[in-house]
Amino acid sequence: MKRRLFFVVTLLAGWNLLSGQSLPDRKETLKTLVKVNDCFMKKYADYTQPSYVGKFRPSNIWTRGVYYEGLMALHTIYPRSDYYDYAYDWADFHKWGLRDGNTTRNADDHCCGQTYIELYKICPGPVKIKNIKAAMDMLVNTPQVDDWTWIDAIQMGMPVLAQLGKVTGEQKYYDKMWQMYACSRNKIGKGLFNEKEGLWWRDANFVPPYKEPNGKNCYWSRGNGWVYTALVRVLNEIPMDEVHRADYKADFLAMSKALKACQRTDGFWNVSLHDESNYGGKETSGTTLFIYGMAWGVRNGLLDKKEYMPVIVKAWNAVVKEAVRSNGSLGYVQGSGKEPKDSQPVTYKSVPDFEDYGVGCFLLAGTEVYKLD
């Protein structure tokens, strides 16, 4: 009996070794997250400095907003005071405001509000959410619902409405959120979500008859990652009995299935999900957003652990091994754009035009991986 048990244990251990289907120790995951984040904070120690890519942009634009989403996630598992200060001082420098003021309908301007609200949750103070609330109230009190014409906007803006609904207890934010999401999903470009394939066209310009070089539909990796992340962040905020929770959940599950099917054998995803010949190769930002969503789904019981853990493990181990450089910076991050051809080539050594959102995506993913059992 003992001999048989030893054989089984040895066999399983050997299988795990060969398959590589195991996550690193939590301490190692945290060490990697700290390394990547510290590299960024050191390089961009002056959070007041604008970005310059063709023109100057203030540091509360969407790219930096996504970074701070990741930092606040890291802070939940490793609450270092300098992390909090880096976020708080950035928000305070911008007077808890939006790039183009409280009347902007541009979701890219709203993204910073996600961090303002998270900081408000830690230590409530009306000034922290005054401006983002005013901007969302403007959306709520005007009839337009077609502002999110590109799917990136769903991640930049939709979680803000979910967060405000939770902190205020007011249904109006949930209602407007659904109206705007449904418009992007079902009406813009005759519907940017392809229910049949479980993936999203980036905007109306990519809806058929537009095709990839191989004749398939064009599904941009990071764009789909933005929607996937938005669904996670919304499901994490809204009540269990919210009227449209089942709709968001259904889309999350459909996307999970579709994304699982197009993972590369090395663990990454291509920039073009259905055409590996169109600027194929490893890409970190989309990959980490998919890790984030799947890890959250497994941890919250929406995704089957046996089915999705191998996908998560393969992806996370690949990113840590192949994309994290020795100094903590990230390789294989596609720069800003809207389709596979933008900001190419994407290589281990290439530096994207904006480094912040790639780090934010990585921190979101790693934090959820850290929380897995």
Side-chain angles (χ1 to χ4, degrees):
M1 183 65 183
K2 289 183 178 180
R3 184 177 298 174
R4 183 180 301 172
L5 181 60
F6 175 80
F7 175 78
V8 171
V9 170
T10 303
L11 184 65
L12 288 173
W15 182 87
N16 284 330
L17 183 64
L18 291 171
S19 65
Q21 297 302 312
S22 60
L23 287 171
D25 181 81
R26 277 185 172 179
K27 291 181 180 179
E28 286 301 312
T29 296
L30 181 59
K31 183 179 178 181
T32 302
L33 291 171
V34 170
K35 176 181 176 179
V36 170
N37 186 63
D38 285 358
C39 174
F40 180 86
M41 284 179 58
K42 181 179 180 180
K43 185 172 183 178
Y44 296 94
D46 187 353
Y47 51 80
T48 71
Q49 287 298 303
S51 300
Y52 182 78
V53 180
K55 65 179 182 179
F56 285 103
R57 296 175 176 85
S59 67
N60 60 347
I61 60 170
W62 71 268
T63 65
R64 196 58 56 91
V66 171
Y67 162 73
Y68 280 105
E69 289 175 48
L71 179 63
M72 295 307 293
L74 176 58
H75 185 264
T76 65
I77 62 169
Y78 195 53
R80 268 175 38 176
S81 60
D82 57 334
Y83 294 171
Y84 177 84
D85 291 344
Y86 192 61
Y88 181 93
D89 292 345
W90 164 78
D92 196 54
F93 168 77
H94 289 290
K95 299 180 180 178
W96 308 87
L98 287 61
R99 174 178 58 169
D100 291 321
N102 296 350
T103 59
T104 177
R105 303 187 71 91
N106 185 345
D108 285 350
D109 295 336
H110 300 155
C111 184
C112 59
Q114 296 189 46
T115 298
Y116 298 166
I117 298 169
E118 290 305 314
L119 290 166
Y120 172 87
K121 289 178 182 178
I122 294 172
C123 184
V127 68
K128 296 176 182 177
I129 61 171
K130 177 182 177 182
N131 293 308
I132 190 61
K133 185 176 183 299
M136 295 301 102
D137 285 344
M138 179 270 297
L139 293 183
V140 168
N141 294 323
T142 52
Q144 298 97 312
V145 295
D146 59 353
D147 296 295
W148 300 338
T149 58
W150 72 111
I151 59 175
D152 314 36
I154 295 174
Q155 199 290 131
M156 307 307 157
M158 188 162 80
V160 175
L161 289 163
Q163 289 171 306
L164 280 178
K166 186 173 183 176
V167 299
T168 66
E170 296 187 60
Q171 180 66 32
K172 65 181 183 180
Y173 298 110
Y174 299 146
D175 292 342
K176 190 69 176 187
M177 177 175 69
W178 170 254
Q179 292 165 13
M180 296 179 73
Y181 175 75
C183 181
S184 300
R185 185 189 191 279
N186 305 323
K187 295 182 179 180
I188 292 174
K190 296 184 179 179
L192 296 179
F193 183 56
N194 185 345
E195 292 188 45
K196 182 179 179 181
E197 295 192 302
L199 295 170
W200 294 69
W201 292 291
R202 197 270 179 178
D203 57 53
N205 293 322
F206 295 94
V207 174
Y210 187 95
K211 295 289 183 182
E212 287 285 72
N214 68 353
K216 295 183 179 180
N217 286 323
C218 179
Y219 299 120
W220 182 43
S221 178
R222 189 166 66 236
N224 277 270
W226 291 137
V227 180
Y228 199 50
T229 296
L231 290 170
V232 166
R233 294 176 75 78
V234 165
L235 288 167
N236 220 27
E237 297 288 334
I238 60 176
M240 296 301 292
D241 61 352
E242 208 286 320
V243 64
H244 291 293
R245 185 178 182 87
D247 298 302
Y248 298 129
K249 178 181 175 182
D251 287 355
F252 173 78
L253 293 176
M255 289 192 72
S256 299
K257 181 179 180 180
L259 292 168
K260 176 178 175 289
C262 52
Q263 185 182 30
R264 291 162 51 98
T265 56
D266 63 9
F268 283 84
W269 277 263
N270 292 304
V271 292
S272 178
L273 295 176
H274 279 188
D275 188 354
E276 67 281 355
S277 69
N278 190 21
Y279 297 97
K282 303 179 179 75
E283 202 287 306
T284 299
S285 63
T287 296
T288 49
L289 292 173
F290 302 148
I291 295 170
Y292 170 65
M294 290 183 186
W296 181 90
V298 167
R299 195 170 63 82
N300 286 274
L302 274 69
L303 299 178
D304 181 74
K305 188 172 184 178
K306 290 183 180 179
E307 183 178 356
Y308 283 89
M309 274 298 288
V311 180
I312 297 164
V313 170
K314 181 188 287 188
W316 179 249
N317 287 341
V319 169
V320 170
K321 180 181 178 181
E322 303 293 336
V324 179
R325 304 188 186 111
S326 59
N327 68 349
S329 62
L330 298 175
Y332 299 112
V333 177
Q334 185 183 21
S336 60
K338 62 180 180 179
E339 59 181 310
K341 73 177 183 181
D342 289 334
S343 298
Q344 292 288 348
V346 177
T347 67
Y348 177 75
K349 293 184 178 181
S350 62
V351 178
D353 49 3
F354 296 92
E355 293 185 82
D356 38 17
Y357 62 80
V359 176
C361 296
F362 181 86
L363 297 179
L364 287 171
T367 300
E368 281 301 318
V369 168
Y370 177 89
K371 294 176 182 177
L372 286 169
D373 295 327

